[in-house]
Amino acid sequence: ALPRGSAWHLRKGKGWGVDSAEQFAEVLVEDAPAPMDLISVHAYHRDGTGKGAAHRGLEGLPTKETLRVAMEAARGAGKVLFVGEFGSNKASPEERRVVETRELFEALVELRVQLAAVWVFDCLSPATAHHNVRADNEHAYILDLVAEANRRLAAGETATRAGAAATTLTAMERE
């Protein structure tokens, strides 16, 4: 998951103060010491407001801006950013879920995040039913978003930053 919004302050013994973007970036890099060559985060809109999961990430910033800070921190440290888990949650109204998920994909493409993985594809566990992405359920649109993002990235639709690695979003193809 993303670090708590007070992770730096807590680590330094300064209580529950609100971390700055620089402090947030410092925590991300420190949590991935050498020889680890990637920074892994999870990105969810759990509260349905578009501001990110409660107590995670940068206070008051949309998920896209939090991911921008994470991407810049990873690049600055010579590491890859892996958004290792994201998806749609049935806890939010359907219309909002679709908008939030599309916004997240837009951020992944715009920021040229090197690695990303949808949670969870074709898993039959009851524990993941609210996130399960299948070609035949209400989350099927996410597979379309994966395909669209891959097409856009392959076509070089967004401007790349110097030294940025090619982005690959992965998902199983529809049967």
Side-chain angles (χ1 to χ4, degrees):
L2 290 166
R4 289 183 180 275
S6 299
W8 184 91
H9 281 82
L10 291 168
R11 184 176 285 177
K12 302 291 184 183
K14 297 180 182 272
W16 288 92
V18 176
D19 293 351
S20 69
E22 294 79 18
Q23 292 164 338
F24 175 79
E26 182 180 322
V27 169
L28 286 172
V29 172
E30 287 177 357
D31 284 351
M36 292 171 55
D37 59 359
L38 67 78
I39 292 173
S40 178
V41 299
H42 297 175
Y44 284 97
H45 296 284
R46 289 197 173 104
D47 60 2
T49 66
K51 298 291 185 190
H55 308 296
R56 299 284 180 200
L58 290 164
E59 183 88 16
L61 283 184
T63 301
K64 177 179 178 179
E65 297 309 313
T66 298
L67 288 177
R68 183 182 310 281
V69 172
M71 188 69 196
E72 290 170 1
R75 282 189 181 124
K79 297 177 185 281
V80 169
L81 180 64
F82 174 42
V83 180
E85 187 174 304
F86 64 92
S88 181
N89 187 335
K90 287 184 182 178
S92 296
E94 181 179 4
E95 184 176 306
R96 187 70 210 151
R97 284 195 315 261
V98 173
V99 169
E100 290 172 344
T101 304
R102 180 168 288 285
E103 287 172 356
L104 183 57
F105 272 93
E106 287 294 324
L108 294 172
V109 171
E110 179 184 319
L111 299 173
R112 302 205 55 90
V113 171
Q114 294 97 336
L115 297 168
V118 172
W119 181 260
V120 56
F121 181 77
D122 202 19
C123 181
L124 300 179
S125 167
T128 61
H130 58 288
H131 289 289
N132 193 24
V133 177
R134 295 175 47 103
D136 62 353
N137 73 8
E138 69 273 19
H139 300 301
Y141 71 94
I142 293 174
L143 297 176
D144 294 331
L145 292 173
V146 169
E148 176 186 340
N150 282 331
R151 277 192 301 277
R152 290 176 60 197
L153 291 164
E157 191 172 306
T158 61
T160 60
R161 295 184 187 198
T167 303
T168 303
L169 298 174
T170 59
M172 303 285 289
E173 290 196 39
R174 292 185 185 190
E175 295 182 355

